[in-house]
Amino acid sequence: MDPYAVLGISAGFTFKDLSEAYRAVAGAASGRDAETALLRAASAFEVLSRAVGGARARPTSKTSPRSRLAVPLKRLKRALQGLEKSVRQRKLQELSKELRMELLKYMELTSISGHNTSSPLKLGACGLQRNRQGLFRAKMNLEHISLYSSYTANELAVEHHIFLVRLRHLVTSGLKRGLEIAEAFQEAFGVLEKLDLSGTCPVDVFPSQQQTSFSSFLHQQGIRASLNI
């Protein structure tokens, strides 16, 4: 697959150019091959978006994983890993926001301590998924976090996909400047709120002093986030 040909775009594009081409191709998909055309466009967008998103980065550790919370957090992680996925996600949501933050920091720091700190942040696939009813959702994995929208119509799923990629660009930019992953996400949320986007960003993962101002903006959109334990 030639992603440039799929989206009808030339080298030297901006993220805005790429997004508009993706919307146009996805919006024109119709007939028996509409689903295939949409998924092909989503794959092309994902490939080319990495060309304008900058190099991958891994956050610099500012805190030792051997803190006083390390042992209980390690036990909590192991206990969660022993649960079925649906039960695990429910138990994670029952934890306080502060505890989920500490768990995320612990997972990130132990990941860094166990690998070469120059290795890139793990960026999983970001794209569209289809359910049996023919609806689509956008989903992205970013290190220990999964971000996903509700299943919805094609047009909105494409907007969610574009939003998640934009979020990834902002987060990796923060990481390259030495922010921890939670800080990078929080900074990105602030930028996206000011852009007045039609998309969304994840909710209920990170506590924030701006949580009140963010809540109405986030809950209207349909993106959710979960920790990958």
Side-chain angles (χ1 to χ4, degrees):
M1 179 189 74
D2 180 354
Y4 291 94
V6 170
L7 296 181
I9 199 168
S10 302
F13 57 83
T14 64
F15 186 77
K16 181 179 180 180
D17 297 332
L18 182 63
S19 299
E20 290 178 350
Y22 180 26
R23 291 187 182 103
V25 174
S30 62
R32 296 174 58 185
D33 297 328
E35 178 183 324
T36 300
L38 176 61
L39 294 176
R40 186 184 299 117
S43 296
F45 174 73
E46 170 64 9
V47 170
L48 294 179
S49 69
R50 293 174 182 262
V52 294
R56 299 181 184 183
R58 177 172 287 279
T60 302
S61 172
K62 298 180 181 178
T63 310
S64 170
R66 299 184 183 278
S67 68
R68 61 185 178 83
L69 293 175
V71 172
L73 288 172
K74 182 178 181 179
R75 291 173 178 171
L76 174 60
K77 179 183 176 183
R78 286 182 174 177
L80 290 168
Q81 287 175 326
L83 302 175
E84 293 183 356
K85 184 176 180 180
S86 60
V87 177
R88 180 166 63 244
Q89 293 303 323
R90 186 173 71 251
K91 293 297 182 182
L92 279 168
Q93 291 303 315
E94 292 174 357
L95 300 178
S96 69
K97 294 177 181 178
E98 292 76 13
L99 184 52
R100 290 203 297 273
M101 168 72 90
E102 292 300 327
L103 181 59
L104 173 63
K105 287 182 177 179
Y106 170 77
M107 292 167 61
E108 183 61 28
L109 292 172
T110 53
S111 175
I112 293 172
S113 65
H115 298 83
N116 185 341
T117 56
S118 63
S119 63
L121 182 76
K122 296 177 182 177
L123 299 181
C126 179
L128 299 183
Q129 295 179 331
R130 180 187 181 278
N131 66 6
R132 293 181 179 179
Q133 288 71 44
L135 299 176
F136 289 86
R137 73 172 181 178
K139 182 177 181 180
M140 178 177 72
N141 293 322
L142 183 60
E143 193 71 354
H144 300 297
I145 305 167
S146 289
L147 310 171
Y148 51 94
S149 70
S150 302
Y151 283 102
T152 185
N154 299 5
E155 183 178 351
L156 186 54
V158 167
E159 292 302 323
H160 285 153
H161 186 190
I162 292 171
F163 179 87
L164 288 178
V165 170
R166 188 190 294 268
L167 176 63
R168 183 175 67 195
H169 290 178
L170 292 169
V171 170
T172 53
S173 175
L175 294 175
K176 287 192 291 183
R177 289 184 280 106
L179 297 181
E180 292 185 356
I181 191 166
E183 296 172 331
F185 264 99
Q186 196 57 60
E187 180 183 82
F189 292 167
V191 172
L192 292 171
E193 186 185 42
K194 293 177 182 178
L195 291 178
D196 189 26
L197 299 173
S198 61
T200 180
C201 56
V203 63
D204 291 337
V205 177
F206 308 111
S208 165
Q209 294 178 347
Q210 296 179 313
Q211 186 66 35
T212 301
S213 63
F214 274 26
S215 60
S216 59
F217 171 73
L218 302 178
H219 282 286
Q220 292 174 357
Q221 303 303 322
I223 292 274
R224 293 293 180 266
S226 63
L227 292 178
N228 295 326
I229 301 287

